């Protein structure tokens, strides 16, 4: 696919069109078209996208849409929603859209309508959450379980942690949710330091139930509970979320306490599956249902809106535009919402694990760059740190700025100040400030080269009314489908992640080497020397 990608008529046309964009500046594009800020907008699932401050013209969008058509986006999208095996290297469907299908919908994969199973797990989750909330499910000593610790990593952690923070205003009054992901004991000790095992419920979240970090932390948690409450307490203080029921049983957990999901749910696409149990414990079943409704609304928009007005398609194609035609290597996610502090980290896995691929679906090397590096921090913090490089540095960094009209945490006029910064940054990025304006303001001539902000730095601005559960669901599904759109253009499998396996296997070998005291080191000279030094010095002096 990717060999022929560069041979597509639309790709050629985009290359030529890109040349014609060299001399264009957003200042002129806006001056030439007073309607630009209204025309280059789209709406769906409660989200308003202003993409007018991108380095685009009408022709750019026409050509990008043509590219999507020539790459068969509509057909690939239909295949995903039909539960076909689109994750070919793993022989699986990527059917996360079935997780938010309404009860009664019919969605087949592998010849089976999976909606009843999804609904059954959701109902079990809801019943369990209600019991924890009203105290019918208590700890082994009869005390209320007020603290939930989710043990999981990657897709079994980033979504739940992001949602715990994002939905701060919707939390059940006395639920405290914490997360242990890292195998570094520092995190376990830090998270549990002030917890009482008698009031703590652990959720062991792992699709495979084999992940070293998660299994190690799960055993540490088990020992921590057993030390205070005895072996019999495990059943009251541990539940599991996994597709691997056999392994959960082997861990010693009652099958009744397993909340399952399916191999057609990728880890990084699983926050709306049972992996969201900690989210449901945090915000309750009703808000969790609203979160799913937000995902669903964006699924519907993605399936039905014309490509040129389709939010995920536009975002995905704009990413391709900068990645492949401007050589942009990174993309910044800048939420102007403190509660979305972990969104950049969440989207990092979603985008980089999905589209960080060097071969196409047929196993041939790709001919063009694929997934960009995703990074970011909430505004306004980032403004006082790395925005300098975005405004005046030598690299082009397309930015997604995200804001909300209504504050859920009103404090004096601070929301207006926050939003003023958001709008001002988008303006500054696009239009900058030239030497003429600086001179007119009386800037010292010697300072002018340092003070000029060239502008012409692209951004999307995503605006929603409030950071509600439904809005969060819509935002996540927006990025899921944007990532999908990009993957279709590049012709890659966005749903496997073979690249992370090698490190896992080598780590197991190194663990064995450390355990036998380095007697038979068979690595390269660098690794051997590092291990020897570590073994000599790890006890300290
Ligand atoms: O849920 P599991 O199976 O423990 O895997 C955790 C994470 O590890 C990965 O496989 C990558 O190492 C991710 O894709 C996944 O989200």
């Amino acid at each position: 696919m990717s060999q022929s990608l560069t041979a597509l008529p639309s790709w050629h046309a985009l290359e030529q069109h890109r040349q014609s964009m060299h001399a264009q500046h957003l200042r002129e594009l806006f001056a030439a078209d007073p309607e630009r800020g209204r025309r280059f907008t789209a709406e769906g699932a409660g989200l308003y996208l202003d993409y007018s401050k991108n380095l685009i013209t009408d022709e750019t969008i026409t050509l990008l849409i043509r590219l999507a058509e020539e790459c068969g986006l509509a057909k690939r999208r239909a295949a995903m929603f039909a539960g076909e095996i689109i994750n070919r290297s793993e022989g699986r469907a990527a059917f996360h859209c079935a997780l938010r299908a309404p009860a009664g919908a019919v969605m087949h994969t592998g010849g089976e309508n999976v909606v009843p199973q999804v609904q059954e797990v959701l109902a079990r989750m809801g019943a369990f959450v209600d019991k924890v909330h009203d105290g019918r499910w208590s700890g082994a000593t009869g005390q209320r379980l007020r603290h939930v610790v989710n043990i999981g990593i990657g897709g079994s952690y980033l979504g739940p942690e992001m949602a715990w923070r994002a939905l701060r205003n919707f939390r059940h009054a006395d639920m405290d949710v914490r997360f242990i992901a890292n195998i570094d004991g520092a995190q376990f000790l830090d998270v549990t330091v002030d917890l009482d095992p008698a009031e703590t419920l652990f959720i062991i979240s792992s699709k495979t139930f084999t992940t070293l970090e998660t299994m190690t932390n799960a055993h540490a948690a088990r020992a921590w509970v057993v030390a205070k409450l005895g072996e019999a307490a495990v059943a009251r203080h541990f539940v599991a979320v996994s597709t691997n029921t056999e392994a959960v049983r082997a861990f010693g957990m009652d099958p009744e306490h397993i909340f399952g999901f399916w191999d057609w749910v990728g880890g990084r696409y699983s926050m709306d599956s049972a992996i969201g149990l900690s989210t449901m414990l945090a915000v309750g079943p009703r808000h969790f249902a609203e979160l799913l409704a937000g995902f669903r609304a964006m699924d519907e928009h993605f399936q039905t809106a014309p490509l040129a007005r389709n939010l995920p398609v536009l975002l995905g194609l704009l990413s391709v535009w900068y990645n492949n035609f401007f050589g942009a290597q990174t993309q910044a996610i800048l939420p102007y919402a403190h509660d979305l502090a972990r969104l950049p980290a969440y989207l990092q896995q979603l985008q980089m694990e999905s589209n960080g691929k060097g071969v196409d679906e047929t196993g041939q090397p790709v001919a063009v760059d694929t997934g960009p590096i995703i990074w970011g921090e909430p505004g306004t913090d980032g403004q006082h740190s790395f925005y300098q490089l975005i405004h005046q540095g030598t690299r082009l960094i397309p930015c997604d700025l995200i804001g909300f009209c209504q504050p859920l945490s009103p404090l004096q006029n601070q929301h207006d100040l926050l939003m003023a910064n958001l709008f001002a940054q988008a303006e500054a990025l696009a239009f900058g400030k030239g030497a003429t304006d600086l001179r007119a303001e009386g800037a010292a001539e010697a300072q002018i080269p340092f003070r000029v902000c060239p502008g012409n730095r692209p951004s999307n601005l995503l605006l929603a009314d409030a950071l509600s559960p439904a809005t969060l669901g819509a935002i996540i599904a927006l990025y899921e489908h944007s990532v999908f759109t990009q993957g279709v253009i590049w012709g890659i499998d966005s749903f496997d992640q073979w690249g992370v396996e090698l490190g896992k296997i080598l780590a197991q070998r190194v663990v064995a080497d450390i355990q036998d005291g380095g007697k038979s080191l068979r690595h390269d000279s660098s690794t051997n020397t590092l291990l020897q030094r570590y073994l000599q010095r790890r006890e300290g002096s």
Side-chain angles (χ1 to χ4, degrees):
M1 172 66 215
S2 44
Q3 283 299 331
S4 57
L5 172 63
T6 52
L8 290 174
S10 55
W11 193 272
H12 271 301
L14 279 161
E15 280 173 332
Q16 279 172 359
H17 172 63
R18 165 69 182 95
Q19 298 308 318
S20 74
M21 294 291 293
H22 265 308
Q24 302 267 24
H25 195 289
L26 281 167
R27 280 183 214 129
E28 285 123 38
L29 291 171
F30 269 85
D33 175 8
E35 286 301 304
R36 185 179 169 97
R38 267 185 289 274
R39 284 196 314 109
F40 287 106
T41 62
E43 258 181 280
L47 305 183
Y48 174 86
L49 171 67
D50 174 355
Y51 61 100
S52 64
K53 296 193 187 81
N54 280 289
L55 308 177
I56 55 167
T57 63
D58 289 299
E59 189 184 354
T60 321
I61 296 299
T62 304
L63 292 176
L64 286 170
I65 298 295
R66 197 172 301 157
L67 175 67
E69 285 163 355
E70 287 177 4
C71 290
L73 176 62
K75 198 162 157 227
R76 300 291 290 163
R77 180 183 60 188
M80 176 169 71
F81 280 90
E84 288 177 24
I85 296 186
I86 60 168
N87 174 0
R88 284 167 55 186
S89 85
E90 293 184 327
R92 293 173 182 166
F95 210 28
H96 38 281
C97 48
L99 296 170
R100 48 262 193 164
V106 177
M107 296 190 72
H108 282 99
T109 188
E112 204 181 351
N113 175 18
V114 298
V115 177
Q117 303 168 36
V118 170
Q119 292 298 321
E120 192 258 335
V121 174
L122 279 171
R124 283 185 55 228
M125 288 165 66
F128 176 72
V129 166
D130 285 343
K131 280 197 265 180
V132 173
H133 283 177
D134 65 22
R136 278 177 293 143
W137 183 291
S138 57
T141 62
Q143 279 167 266
R144 283 284 278 272
L145 291 165
R146 297 180 195 287
H147 305 284
V148 173
V149 180
N150 183 80
I151 296 183
I153 197 163
S156 299
Y157 149 63
L158 287 161
E161 195 204 29
M162 180 271 295
W164 159 251
R165 293 197 187 198
L167 302 179
R168 191 174 50 81
N169 287 287
F170 299 87
R171 288 179 194 162
H172 189 268
D174 44 44
M175 279 320 308
D176 161 48
V177 181
R178 304 180 186 196
F179 298 87
I180 298 175
N182 202 318
I183 203 163
D184 186 341
Q187 192 181 22
F188 187 96
L189 295 174
D190 185 36
V191 166
T192 55
V193 67
D194 58 342
L195 293 183
D196 177 354
E199 295 186 330
T200 306
L201 173 72
F202 285 93
I203 306 174
I204 313 301
S205 296
S206 175
K207 179 175 172 180
T208 56
F209 227 73
T210 58
T211 304
L212 179 69
E213 290 88 340
T214 302
M215 291 301 99
T216 306
N217 281 319
H219 284 287
R222 196 178 201 285
W224 184 78
V225 168
V226 169
K228 170 125 193 242
L229 304 172
E231 193 68 35
V234 171
R236 301 301 294 177
H237 291 265
F238 284 83
V239 295
V241 177
S242 186
T243 58
N244 187 351
T245 33
E246 286 313 306
V248 182
R249 279 204 191 107
F251 184 85
M253 247 182 258
D254 186 336
E256 243 188 74
H257 306 157
I258 306 173
F259 298 90
F261 60 114
W262 306 271
D263 72 356
W264 41 261
V265 184
R268 53 194 176 273
Y269 297 87
S270 67
M271 64 170 280
D272 48 339
S273 72
I275 289 291
L277 183 61
S278 64
T279 310
M280 199 192 268
L281 278 158
V283 302
R286 184 170 60 82
H287 289 135
F288 195 81
E290 288 167 18
L291 177 78
L292 296 184
F295 273 94
R296 185 159 67 239
M298 185 54 74
D299 288 347
E300 282 162 15
H301 171 83
F302 180 49
Q303 286 178 284
T304 56
L307 297 189
R309 308 207 57 74
N310 193 307
L311 271 67
V313 173
L314 288 166
L315 280 195
L317 291 175
L318 287 165
S319 286
V320 170
W321 176 233
Y322 295 118
N323 191 58
N324 297 120
F325 297 92
F326 287 77
Q329 295 198 339
T330 82
Q331 189 175 327
I333 305 293
L334 307 168
Y336 278 69
H338 188 71
D339 292 335
L340 284 182
R342 292 293 284 163
L343 182 69
Y346 175 79
L347 295 182
Q348 223 164 37
Q349 187 200 16
L350 182 66
Q351 171 76 269
M352 294 171 74
E353 207 172 70
S354 296
N355 284 344
K357 307 290 162 63
V359 295
D360 69 15
E361 278 189 307
T362 67
Q364 296 302 310
V366 292
V368 301
D369 278 328
T370 57
I373 298 156
I374 301 294
W375 61 284
E377 284 287 331
T380 58
D381 303 18
Q383 290 173 207
H384 296 273
S385 162
F386 52 79
Y387 275 43
Q388 164 63 33
L389 187 149
I390 305 181
H391 283 292
Q392 283 190 317
T394 55
R395 296 175 193 281
L396 181 80
I397 302 178
C399 301
D400 282 3
L401 303 156
I402 305 171
F404 301 92
C405 297
Q406 298 156 18
L408 294 183
S409 309
L411 180 64
Q412 301 175 54
N413 68 339
Q414 290 192 207
H415 192 68
D416 289 342
L417 302 181
L418 174 70
M419 293 303 286
N421 273 280
L422 163 63
F423 298 127
Q425 286 299 325
E427 207 176 359
L429 287 166
F431 305 111
K433 188 160 196 169
T436 316
D437 288 340
L438 286 163
R439 281 194 190 100
E441 285 174 9
E445 196 59 34
Q447 278 191 344
I448 286 186
F450 304 100
R451 293 180 59 173
V452 163
C453 282
N456 220 25
R457 318 251 151 163
S459 67
N460 290 306
L461 200 148
L462 204 56
L463 202 57
D465 285 349
L467 181 48
S468 65
T471 305
L472 183 67
I475 291 173
I476 301 307
L478 166 67
Y479 280 100
E480 285 180 352
H481 299 319
S482 161
V483 165
F484 173 80
T485 300
Q486 294 167 60
V488 169
I489 302 298
W490 294 319
I492 56 179
D493 185 336
S494 296
F495 299 102
D496 62 11
Q497 59 286 315
W498 297 103
V500 297
E501 294 307 318
L502 176 61
K504 291 182 190 173
I505 293 161
L506 291 184
Q508 297 282 11
R509 267 178 50 193
V510 176
V511 167
D513 288 341
I514 291 174
Q515 280 167 351
D516 88 346
K519 289 190 202 93
S520 51
L521 293 178
R522 276 169 299 166
H523 303 269
D524 59 275
S525 62
S526 161
T527 309
N528 285 345
T529 310
L530 287 165
L531 277 167
Q532 276 156 353
R533 187 174 173 88
Y534 170 69
L535 287 165
Q536 280 159 11
R537 300 174 78 100
R538 68 178 168 163
E539 309 300 348
S541 51

